[in-house]
Amino acid sequence: MNKQSEIRSQVGKPYHRREDMRFLTGNGKYIDDIKVANCWHAAFIRSPHAHAKILSVNTSSALQINGVIGIYTGKDLAELTTSLRIAPPIDGLKPIEMTTLPIDKVLFQGDLVACVIAKNRYIAEDAIDLVEVEYSALNPVTNIMHAQQQDAPLIIESMGTNLLSHQFKEKGDVSKSAKQAYKIIETSFSQHRQTHLPMETRGCIAIWDEGNQHLNFYVGTQAPHPYRTQLANRMRLMESQVTIHSSDIGGAFGQKIVLYREELTVAALAKLLNHPIRWREDRLENLVGSSQSREDICKTIVSVDSQGKILGLDFEILEDFGAYSFYPGNYLARVVAMILTGPYKVDNYRYDVKVFLTNKVGNAPMRAPMAITSWVMEGTIDAIARELGLDPVDVRKLNMVTQDDMPYLMPTGEVLCDVTPLETLNQALQIVKYEDFADRKKESLSRGFYRGIGICSVIESTTYGSEFYKAAGIPGSGHEAVWIRIEPTGVVNASVGLGPSGQGYETAFSQVIAEGLGIHPNQIRILMGNSDIAPYGMGSRGARGGTAGGGAFFLCAQQAHQKLMRIASHILNIPLDNLRMVDGYVNYLEGDRYIPTDVDLRKLSQVAYFEPTRLPEGELPGLEFHLTYDPPPMTYSNSTHICELEIDPDTGSIKIERYVVAEDCGTVLNPLIVEGQQHGAIAMGISGVLFEEIIYDSTGQNITGTLADYMIATAGDIPKIEIIHMNTPNKKTPLGIKGMAEGGVMGAIGAVMNAANSALSSLNIQVNQQPLTPMYIRSLIRDVASKNNGL
Amino acid sequence: MNEKKIHLVINQQGYDLELEPRKLLSDVIRDDCFLTGTHVGCEHGVCGACTILVDGKLLRSCLVYGVQMDGKHIETIESIGTHTKLSRFQQAMHEEHGLQCGYCTAGIVMTIEGLLRENPKPTEMEIQDALTGNLCRCTGYQNILKAIQRVLLADQEKS
Amino acid sequence: MKPAPFQYHQPTNTQELLALLDLYRSNAKIISGGQSLAPMMNMRMAHIEELIDINQLSDLSFINQSQNQVKIGSMTRHEQVASSEQIDKHCPLLSYAAGTIGHYVIRQRGTIGGSLCHADPVAQMPLIALTLDANFHIKSIHEERQIRASDFFLGAMTTCLQENEFLQAISYPCFSNETAWAFELFNRRHGDYAIVSVALCLDYDNNQVIRNIRIGLNGVSDFAQDYSSACSSFLNQTFTEKWLDELTHHLLANFSPFDDERISSKYRLELAKTLIKKAFFRANQNYLKSRN
């Protein structure tokens, strides 16, 4: 029996990242850093109208400019590519089709009209200025309320409605529970439109190899293989005619997963013109024309008994999906409904999910697409406490799933296990000194500030296994694929189908493989992003990298270790069960201690490659291993976020005074990296609640099209984040990994919103919409003051 | 054409260039001088990713035209440290995990290096005033601030 | 976002600059710090034919204090104004306000003259110039003239500069020992333009009576404005809370803020009220402290 000790040798160590060197010294290789001699540039003509028919595109003046190669419209691209049809077999989801570039009409301000190819970007933009497009403006739909109306303009005429997707489901009997209720409480939650804003915008390079009839496509993508499948399909190429090269990515957060229309256009034109073409999206385009997210309006109606115990929960979510379906319409909003109940016991639950098309840029999942979930559930809990005059902590504890309840079958069929919501809640309350809050509130008031405390429990769905997709009726697989190759000199090359964008996979995965093989991480090189080299994987999203990728690597490394030990056993003539690789050397068990031999990995490898006749009977030469791993249907991580803030009633401004989070993300591969992910997630959540806002005015113009208008948090806006780590391994995943990366967003949104509510409760004000701008807070205070003055 | 001949020095190396006046310095550095460590994030002076030093002063290279730099001495990220010898702040960033995707990192390193040269003992407010001009989407700024503190503490202990 | 093509000129002295302005007139545009102009050019919101780069004119960068004036060259960078010991001593409101412009890096490049000529309604420098009744030294190839701030600014993004003129320097009055001042602003994030800002100077006499008030605000009209004259009936009194309440109430009636998609005029007025009070308290407190 192989003694696998619980003390990890590599996993869990706070190694500094190996990625850092190239980034710190200016030697990263982002798409724009890749030199391509004699490359042409693409730029796009974008619609100034939110909704309009394209009548004509006059390119004659523009084509006169020296250095302009050509200008191509939707009709041209329709000859070179197929259109995209999104029609997964999901109840309530309408099929939707879109051409590569719009032909008949544009659907949002910034929508694509034509592509200019020129010798450089400067000239391309000069050409854009001279292209004359004739539009016939149509009435736009700029919000969900309008989209729902009978007489609203239709985004897609043939659909007959703007309701793209509608799902509803009931478990138990919500109406019955309402009749039995002591009180029924209705609360609304409205979250505004935001955008991912990676620091590196989108971009790509297409190089068509005419000799080999092969497309080399350079793009920063989180999912190289699914991307390749899409690209080849749309260009009517065989999948083996396309290679995706994805090197360093300057942030993605969900914006860089699927094939965008601009990228497909560049690829198609590079093949048509048989000339390399590159595209760099500028920041204005990124704000106006890439993808957006989060615009949800939710409502809960909860039935409770006199103690605050939840008898039944009714949930409605309306999502503004924009005009284009880059993803299936139900995909983002549905997850909210499915995991809404989070850490709470709810027997009777009903959800209704509606997704609408409007004249805005299309949605893409944005780090924690289910971000609104925790705020909604926790906000509902706080509402119960408010209505019944109970302590919000007591209401949480009364309804929370405990260790004894697990595995707990959530009303939507999800199984909750190996999570510790009560434990993280207690820990966070203790660290923040919850019991003394009243004193702090008094002290703040003495200085003229309203202080609030907000709690947010998060159950983060991190990794989706294939069973989950099947159960949810979403096509796709949740598995991940890896290979590990031990080279003759004893160093290791390894690869996985994920596309990293800052998560430190190179460092973390080398630790995982080192753990499984019994060597040092610096012997291991991780290759990612090249679709020819990496095995076909499902890509990096949600928080699946750790569990799916890490899990696969660990299992594969164990497999490799087993073969190595079989070889060692044969060579050393020591029973297999007594052998183990430690620090790169074969060790044998003597009593309860491992003693090193002088046989290192290199020696074993030399035998495997160059002296195969010395291998044991039935053992094949070489040391190359390949493995796919399908994680459990769902893996969860949990955390409790507590935020204390002060509101200045005169200006409405909010200052976060304290931010504490107790988190349990299972086994941690590298604590530095994990903490960094948590910082980033929480910062994004805080930034979203307080600053970010995409605004489309009543004519459908995006008036937040520069970084001066679309604000994100700066170093002065994020408080010190205190993290308490409490890690219970998942019993089903390799190494007990759970994954994390998005829970922070969910927790921050809920904690800050609930804290604002807490602060304003003494003024009898409830906040149920984001963002919490000073103007909004001030308007609430003003309204209450004028009511009190009898005005 | 409209091109102007200029001579500039980047990281102590001279470059003789013929440039269209409208070509942004950020593009000149990256495309004409092949120094891709300086990144472009917004081209309207807000994100700070393109920050460099010109004659010792910090500057957003997207807000200056290459032709304006005739005769100037420019320092970009490539001159601050190497794989084998990082600057103290770069080393601190590495040890504190102050970077993730790395795209904003060069701009932040240049900003802090520039600040510390002029003001070796910045107050918390002065640090914030400099750093709030650099946007980061990955780190939440926590570890970047820790890295700065680490350098300042080491300075304090030395003296 | 790449700018449209333009002709580039880099005069090495003032004569060359004046000749270029006289030649190209309305087609000419001066670039100094570029922190405001370059973004507009990159976004193709500003179309320039002849760009005149005055960064070589080092004689335009100076800070000279004499008698009762501090004269500042138009190419002086914001950071130099903010960190100048001379200005801190003689016109501290100006150096303090300059220190609130953007971030450290922006201030290394942006210039006081550039900011004044750009005349952005949310910028600090026009507000300070109006509040302090600064003198603008303007030059053209044939003429030199001096005009007051109130005549220099014609409205948002508009100054009285003729096609062939440039701003050479600006003179600010030196503060006396009996002058207390404050600068209060409110913005969303550090370094952002303020939604409303208040610039204030109070002249006291030996008996703590306030003899003169200079007060200007951004954000409650379509441009920075000097509201000093509205305070005339409140002069020659001592600082009390009641006096301040009445003065503030009176001032608010003079404001005409606008409504936009994100910020209501009501909000601006409330902010103005809060900041005016803050400014007065701070100035008064500083004055009392300096007396002890």
Side-chain angles (χ1 to χ4, degrees):
Chain A
M1 192 195 65
N2 211 353
K3 270 204 178 164
Q4 283 284 343
S5 132
E6 281 309 321
I7 301 165
R8 308 255 181 249
S9 60
Q10 301 299 340
V11 162
K13 285 230 167 81
Y15 286 121
H16 301 137
R17 294 188 339 160
R18 59 175 70 170
E19 289 92 329
D20 287 357
M21 285 306 152
R22 62 184 189 269
F23 298 141
L24 283 168
T25 59
N27 286 306
K29 272 264 167 302
Y30 302 90
I31 294 293
D32 263 9
D33 302 337
I34 299 169
K35 294 279 159 238
V36 177
N38 193 28
C39 194
W40 290 339
H41 288 247
F44 290 89
I45 292 158
R46 295 179 180 274
S47 162
H49 299 286
H51 195 194
K53 288 204 188 104
I54 303 170
L55 298 178
S56 66
V57 181
N58 187 340
T59 59
S60 47
S61 313
L63 288 169
Q64 304 288 334
I65 298 176
N66 187 15
V68 173
I69 309 299
I71 302 174
Y72 305 88
T73 65
K75 290 197 186 93
D76 300 317
L77 269 302
E79 286 170 31
L80 304 171
T81 57
T82 69
S83 56
L84 173 69
R85 188 173 160 78
I86 297 204
I90 294 171
D91 247 343
L93 177 66
K94 298 194 180 54
I96 194 167
E97 194 160 324
M98 61 170 133
T99 52
T100 300
L101 288 183
I103 297 173
D104 300 318
K105 64 172 188 165
V106 287
L107 298 179
F108 64 90
Q109 185 240 321
D111 199 355
L112 302 167
V113 178
C115 178
V116 175
I117 303 295
K119 293 249 170 91
N120 64 51
R121 178 72 185 217
Y122 288 76
I123 295 172
E125 291 192 20
D126 293 340
I128 290 176
D129 278 352
L130 291 186
V131 171
E132 287 159 9
V133 184
E134 218 191 313
Y135 300 96
S136 167
L138 301 166
N139 286 327
V141 176
T142 60
N143 59 65
I144 290 175
M145 295 311 142
H146 190 193
Q148 290 181 88
Q149 282 160 19
Q150 285 281 52
D151 58 349
L154 294 174
I155 309 300
I156 296 171
E157 275 89 11
S158 56
M159 201 181 274
T161 171
N162 290 320
L163 179 62
L164 173 64
S165 171
H166 185 196
Q167 276 104 23
F168 47 87
K169 200 166 183 181
E170 180 164 15
K171 172 85 199 301
D173 193 334
V174 171
S175 306
K176 185 163 168 215
S177 67
K179 290 198 185 83
Q180 295 168 341
Y182 170 75
K183 206 142 199 202
I184 300 173
I185 301 153
E186 185 174 314
T187 326
S188 60
F189 304 85
S190 148
Q191 183 169 261
H192 53 302
R193 203 164 188 77
Q194 293 161 63
T195 186
H196 312 59
L197 212 88
M199 292 321 298
E200 183 204 23
T201 57
R202 298 177 300 159
C204 60
I205 306 170
I207 302 178
W208 175 250
D209 176 349
E210 177 72 11
N212 287 305
Q213 292 289 296
H214 193 91
L215 175 66
N216 280 302
F217 197 71
Y218 296 77
V219 66
T221 174
Q222 300 168 227
H225 293 90
Y227 190 101
R228 182 194 69 191
T229 305
Q230 281 176 47
L231 181 54
N233 186 25
R234 300 288 301 275
M235 286 183 64
R236 297 194 192 95
L237 294 171
M238 289 194 291
E239 199 168 358
S240 47
Q241 283 180 282
V242 178
T243 304
I244 302 300
H245 304 259
S246 188
S247 52
D248 292 322
I249 303 179
F253 313 111
Q255 186 164 88
K256 298 173 180 171
I257 302 177
V258 295
L259 174 66
Y260 282 102
R261 299 174 298 166
E262 293 94 336
E263 295 159 359
L264 176 57
T265 300
V266 170
L269 292 176
K271 177 168 180 283
L272 174 75
L273 301 171
N274 190 15
H275 195 103
I277 300 177
R278 68 195 305 157
W279 172 60
R280 169 56 42 193
E281 172 187 55
D282 67 38
R283 183 57 67 183
L284 300 195
E285 291 182 276
N286 182 259
L287 282 165
V288 144
S290 58
S291 52
Q292 293 167 2
S293 200
R294 301 228 198 287
E295 192 170 357
D296 298 315
I297 299 175
C298 299
K299 188 170 75 178
T300 58
I301 302 174
V302 67
S303 306
V304 294
D305 71 12
S306 56
Q307 309 302 308
K309 182 151 154 37
I310 296 172
L311 303 174
L313 180 63
D314 201 341
F315 172 64
E316 178 193 70
I317 177 171
L318 308 176
E319 183 159 282
D320 186 325
F321 205 65
Y324 287 100
S325 232
F326 301 127
Y327 296 83
N330 67 316
Y331 168 59
L332 307 173
R334 173 80 163 274
V335 180
V336 178
M338 293 196 66
I339 63 167
L340 181 74
T341 55
Y344 300 108
K345 289 181 281 205
V346 180
D347 293 329
N348 303 296
Y349 175 56
R350 181 168 64 201
Y351 68 72
D352 190 307
V353 178
K354 291 197 182 85
V355 178
F356 293 92
L357 296 175
T358 60
N359 289 114
K360 301 175 186 174
V361 75
N363 281 13
M366 176 177 167
R367 190 170 192 173
M370 63 299 199
I372 203 176
T373 308
S374 306
W375 172 41
V376 173
M377 193 64 223
E378 294 291 294
T380 301
I381 297 278
D382 277 359
I384 296 171
R386 214 165 32 235
E387 287 294 310
L388 298 184
L390 299 169
D391 186 314
V393 171
D394 292 339
V395 179
R396 283 172 171 78
K397 291 192 177 177
L398 178 64
N399 289 287
M400 201 169 263
V401 171
T402 64
Q403 294 307 316
D404 293 333
D405 297 314
M406 286 189 259
Y408 174 73
L409 184 66
M410 291 162 80
T412 49
E414 297 301 305
V415 177
L416 207 53
C417 61
D418 296 327
V419 291
T420 54
L422 195 54
E423 289 78 358
T424 54
L425 175 62
N426 283 329
Q427 182 67 275
L429 290 169
Q430 189 192 68
I431 298 294
V432 89
K433 293 207 176 39
Y434 183 73
E435 62 281 3
D436 297 332
F437 174 71
D439 294 336
R440 297 195 290 276
K441 188 178 166 102
K442 220 162 127 194
E443 194 277 328
S444 294
L445 196 59
S446 71
R447 286 180 288 110
F449 295 101
Y450 291 96
R451 194 182 190 93
I453 188 164
I455 303 170
C456 188
S457 306
V458 178
I459 296 286
E460 177 190 349
S461 48
T462 66
T463 317
Y464 303 73
S466 303
E467 280 300 319
F468 171 83
Y469 290 110
K470 180 160 153 224
I474 304 172
S477 175
H479 77 270
E480 197 42 59
V482 300
W483 58 253
I484 294 176
R485 187 170 65 227
I486 302 166
E487 308 292 354
T489 51
V491 293
V492 178
N493 277 314
S495 188
V496 62
L498 302 172
S501 54
Q503 303 94 323
Y505 290 152
E506 287 167 50
T507 306
F509 290 156
S510 45
Q511 289 175 250
V512 169
I513 295 169
E515 186 76 44
L517 276 180
I519 64 174
H520 196 277
N522 62 17
Q523 300 289 102
I524 302 164
R525 172 174 165 244
I526 312 286
L527 294 100
M528 291 173 286
N530 182 312
S531 64
D532 285 348
I533 295 173
Y536 198 109
M538 297 304 135
S540 182
R541 10 154 226 219
R544 70 189 299 274
T547 318
F553 267 135
F554 186 67
L555 294 173
C556 192
Q558 284 185 317
Q559 222 178 61
H561 181 262
Q562 275 159 31
K563 177 165 181 175
L564 288 167
M565 294 307 102
R566 289 197 298 269
I567 299 172
S569 170
H570 185 75
I571 294 175
L572 294 170
N573 204 18
I574 296 174
L576 179 61
D577 289 346
N578 292 353
L579 290 176
R580 185 178 163 186
M581 185 82 81
V582 178
D583 290 334
Y585 282 85
V586 178
N587 276 233
Y588 66 92
L589 194 58
E590 196 171 80
D592 62 353
R593 275 171 50 239
Y594 278 100
I595 314 288
T597 66
D598 67 348
V599 178
D600 63 2
L601 181 57
R602 187 177 190 281
K603 286 209 172 106
L604 292 174
S605 205
Q606 292 283 311
V607 170
Y609 282 97
F610 302 128
E611 298 174 85
T613 53
R614 287 182 64 195
L615 292 172
E617 185 80 35
E619 202 72 63
L620 294 172
L623 290 172
E624 210 163 313
F625 306 87
H626 183 277
L627 182 137
T628 58
Y629 167 60
D630 205 329
M634 186 62 83
T635 311
Y636 292 101
S637 219
N638 67 282
S639 53
T640 303
H641 296 243
I642 300 186
C643 169
E644 264 187 56
L645 50 79
E646 279 186 346
I647 296 184
D648 179 346
D650 291 333
T651 62
S653 65
I654 289 175
K655 182 156 181 288
I656 298 178
E657 291 288 307
R658 191 133 188 231
Y659 196 99
V660 161
V661 52
E663 64 84 13
D664 181 350
C665 64
T667 300
V668 164
L669 298 181
N670 180 319
L672 273 189
I673 291 176
V674 162
E675 237 193 41
Q677 288 294 301
Q678 287 162 341
H679 291 162
I682 290 167
M684 190 175 270
I686 292 174
S687 178
V689 174
L690 297 181
F691 297 106
E692 300 182 39
E693 200 179 359
I694 291 280
I695 303 176
Y696 283 87
D697 70 14
S698 59
T699 66
Q701 294 295 304
N702 182 337
I703 62 172
T704 46
T706 76
L707 286 184
D709 304 300
Y710 188 81
M711 297 187 209
I712 68 168
T714 67
D717 306 307
I718 306 293
K720 179 155 181 293
I721 299 168
E722 299 167 60
I723 306 180
I724 306 126
H725 303 284
M726 309 167 59
N727 301 97
T728 13
N730 181 299
K731 298 197 193 74
K732 296 202 189 73
T733 59
L735 291 168
I737 305 170
K738 289 177 181 172
M740 45 62 64
E742 298 189 319
V745 182
M746 302 162 77
I749 293 173
V752 176
M753 289 305 294
N754 289 345
N757 251 329
S758 155
L760 296 170
S761 59
S762 39
L763 294 173
N764 266 326
I765 294 173
Q766 276 173 51
V767 286
N768 53 19
Q769 76 182 56
Q770 298 176 51
L772 295 180
T773 63
M775 295 77 73
Y776 170 60
I777 301 279
R778 186 54 227 162
S779 71
L780 295 172
I781 296 175
R782 188 191 305 133
D783 287 345
V784 160
S786 63
K787 267 196 214 109
N788 289 344
N789 291 341
L791 293 166
Chain B
M1 265 241 324
N2 196 13
E3 268 139 20
K4 195 172 185 285
K5 285 202 173 91
I6 66 154
H7 176 84
L8 43 73
V9 175
I10 307 182
N11 304 336
Q12 300 187 337
Q13 190 175 323
Y15 294 84
D16 291 299
L17 304 167
E18 250 182 77
L19 302 171
E20 236 197 315
R22 63 171 169 166
K23 193 158 193 188
L24 304 180
L25 179 61
S26 41
D27 289 335
V28 172
I29 291 171
R30 290 178 53 81
D31 299 338
D32 296 282
C33 306
F34 307 106
L35 294 163
T36 57
T38 304
H39 297 147
V40 173
C42 74
E43 284 179 332
H44 50 289
V46 178
C47 77
C50 69
T51 306
I52 56 170
L53 284 158
V54 175
D55 288 348
K57 290 260 177 262
L58 290 169
L59 182 67
R60 294 194 168 188
S61 59
C62 73
L63 295 185
V64 174
Y65 304 104
V67 293
Q68 292 184 274
M69 294 288 111
D70 194 15
K72 300 285 182 194
H73 281 70
I74 295 173
E75 292 166 83
T76 65
I77 185 70
E78 289 88 344
S79 70
I80 302 295
T82 64
H83 266 61
T84 45
K85 188 158 191 342
L86 296 174
S87 76
R88 288 176 329 116
F89 179 60
Q90 284 172 320
Q91 183 65 28
M93 284 281 274
H94 179 53
E95 288 167 12
E96 294 292 344
H97 185 40
L99 58 145
Q100 291 180 29
C101 84
Y103 201 75
C104 73
T105 304
I108 288 183
V109 170
M110 296 309 292
T111 299
I112 300 303
E113 297 282 346
L115 172 70
L116 293 179
R117 277 190 207 178
E118 292 273 331
N119 184 358
K121 290 207 183 95
T123 63
E124 215 175 287
M125 257 325 289
E126 285 167 339
I127 294 170
Q128 198 187 97
D129 180 53
L131 198 57
T132 47
N134 294 83
L135 298 182
C136 173
R137 205 55 166 148
C138 296
T139 66
Y141 310 100
Q142 305 285 299
N143 292 343
I144 299 172
L145 289 165
K146 270 201 193 151
I148 298 170
Q149 287 311 322
R150 200 184 174 110
V151 169
L152 295 179
L153 197 64
D155 281 345
Q156 228 176 47
E157 280 167 5
K158 245 195 258 170
S159 62
Chain C
M1 303 114 61
K2 313 297 182 187
F6 53 81
Q7 297 294 328
Y8 176 74
H9 309 274
Q10 201 178 35
T12 53
N13 58 56
T14 308
Q15 294 318 110
E16 281 177 29
L17 167 62
L18 293 173
L20 285 166
L21 286 173
D22 204 52
L23 175 62
Y24 291 114
R25 301 242 160 195
S26 63
N27 285 334
K29 182 76 183 169
I30 291 175
I31 189 164
S32 56
Q35 306 299 279
S36 300
L37 182 59
M40 288 172 67
M41 289 173 69
N42 292 355
M43 293 194 237
R44 299 199 180 207
M45 280 165 61
H47 279 88
I48 314 293
E49 302 264 353
E50 315 288 334
L51 190 70
I52 304 176
D53 177 4
I54 59 171
N55 282 281
Q56 298 274 61
L57 303 184
S58 48
D59 58 342
L60 287 180
S61 178
F62 61 84
I63 299 170
N64 289 337
Q65 187 265 329
S66 67
Q67 289 269 284
N68 54 356
Q69 300 257 303
V70 181
K71 192 171 181 187
I72 305 175
S74 59
M75 276 300 292
T76 312
R77 311 279 176 190
H78 293 311
E79 186 58 29
Q80 290 167 297
V81 175
S83 58
S84 159
E85 272 175 34
Q86 279 200 59
I87 303 178
D88 187 50
K89 183 153 181 246
H90 297 285
C91 193
L93 172 62
L94 175 62
S95 53
Y96 181 84
T100 66
I101 297 174
H103 314 276
Y104 181 70
V105 176
I106 302 275
R107 294 197 300 275
Q108 301 293 319
R109 185 77 181 170
T111 65
I112 189 167
S115 177
L116 289 167
C117 293
H118 190 65
D120 194 322
V122 294
Q124 286 88 328
M125 291 297 98
L127 173 64
I128 301 302
L130 282 166
T131 305
L132 295 181
D133 195 20
N135 255 327
F136 285 61
H137 304 268
I138 297 170
K139 254 184 160 153
S140 71
I141 197 162
H142 301 299
E143 195 185 351
E144 273 186 46
R145 58 192 183 111
Q146 269 191 57
I147 64 166
R148 300 172 66 180
S150 46
D151 294 320
F152 181 77
F153 296 106
L154 301 180
M157 318 303 285
T158 323
T159 69
C160 74
L161 284 174
Q162 297 298 303
E163 282 172 354
N164 65 344
E165 286 182 322
F166 90 103
L167 175 64
Q168 192 239 355
I170 318 96
S171 296
Y172 296 83
C174 286
F175 283 23
S176 76
N177 287 336
E178 271 68 52
T179 306
W181 61 273
F183 184 69
E184 297 289 336
L185 61 85
F186 180 79
N187 54 18
R188 296 289 300 276
R189 303 169 303 179
H190 179 94
D192 283 348
Y193 284 123
I195 297 174
V196 171
S197 39
V198 177
L200 174 70
C201 288
L202 299 175
D203 286 330
Y204 291 77
D205 72 11
N206 288 334
N207 300 315
Q208 296 192 36
V209 170
I210 293 172
R211 293 297 183 195
N212 196 22
I213 299 173
R214 300 284 312 169
I215 183 167
L217 274 90
N218 263 350
V220 291
S221 183
D222 59 354
F223 193 68
Q225 211 164 307
D226 164 32
Y227 296 97
S228 308
S229 53
C231 300
S232 51
S233 54
F234 290 84
L235 296 178
N236 304 315
Q237 298 179 48
T238 50
F239 181 102
T240 66
E241 274 196 51
K242 183 164 180 286
W243 169 85
L244 179 56
D245 274 342
E246 286 167 12
L247 169 56
T248 306
H249 187 79
H250 181 79
L251 274 171
L252 286 171
N254 279 272
F255 302 153
S256 51
F258 49 91
D259 275 314
D260 73 31
E261 188 86 39
R262 297 210 264 190
I263 305 177
S264 67
S265 55
K266 264 207 189 105
Y267 184 77
R268 288 179 182 278
L269 286 174
E270 288 170 350
L271 209 50
K273 184 171 165 188
T274 301
L275 293 176
I276 289 170
K277 291 235 168 108
K278 253 190 172 169
F280 272 91
F281 268 109
R282 193 188 291 278
N284 189 53
Q285 248 158 29
N286 287 343
Y287 171 70
L288 293 174
K289 247 194 264 167
S290 72
R291 293 252 303 171
N292 295 342

